[in-house]
Amino acid sequence: MPQSQSQSQSQPDSIPATRTENVLLLFAHEPYHPGPGTREVNTTVISAASLLYAQVHQPDGVGIHDLLTRGRRPGEIVPLSTLTHELDGGALWPQVGDWEAVTSDLVTSCAAATATHSAWAFP
């Protein structure tokens, strides 16, 4: 569906404008070990606000945050694959941001235990 001139180019027509801040992003990644004697971690859940921090690739983090927080329910966990589906199977990712760079930054921050944001890593 074509976008109107008044819409942000980073948002497909099907994404509602209502914004919900208390949303979580779930994504899988290459495994890492958080410390000696621990199991590997290959899935992470972060708060939407984590996408806004300076240690995350910007302005891509802001673009993903905008998409992630539109038309959601408070406390909703949104898999990265859901965003990909909403972005025409991923074809519209370039209009939103570099999800690979952003998730890589988030994993690096979580793995280094320097994260100043809410994050949960699952083995």
Side-chain angles (χ1 to χ4, degrees):
M1 217 185 287
Q3 294 180 336
S4 71
Q5 291 291 346
S6 64
Q7 280 185 303
S8 167
Q9 286 190 338
S10 65
Q11 298 300 318
D13 288 337
S14 61
I15 304 299
T18 305
R19 186 171 250 175
T20 305
E21 293 301 323
N22 186 19
V23 178
L24 304 168
L25 176 64
L26 165 72
F27 60 95
H29 48 77
E30 291 295 320
Y32 70 89
H33 290 82
T38 61
R39 293 175 50 191
E40 72 179 25
V41 175
N42 66 1
T43 307
T44 300
V45 178
I46 56 104
S47 66
S50 301
L51 295 161
L52 303 177
Y53 289 124
Q55 66 263 42
V56 174
H57 190 77
Q58 298 297 347
D60 302 61
V62 171
I64 296 170
H65 176 272
D66 188 50
L67 177 64
L68 179 64
T69 59
R70 294 201 181 266
R72 312 291 178 192
R73 293 182 313 273
E76 185 173 352
I77 299 173
V78 181
L80 183 65
S81 60
T82 297
L83 299 182
T84 298
H85 173 76
E86 292 171 355
L87 293 170
D88 196 22
L92 300 176
W93 268 120
Q95 296 177 18
V96 175
D98 183 345
W99 66 267
E100 290 177 293
V102 168
T103 56
S104 177
D105 290 346
L106 291 165
V107 170
T108 298
S109 180
C110 291
T114 60
T116 58
H117 47 271
S118 299
W120 301 274
F122 298 98

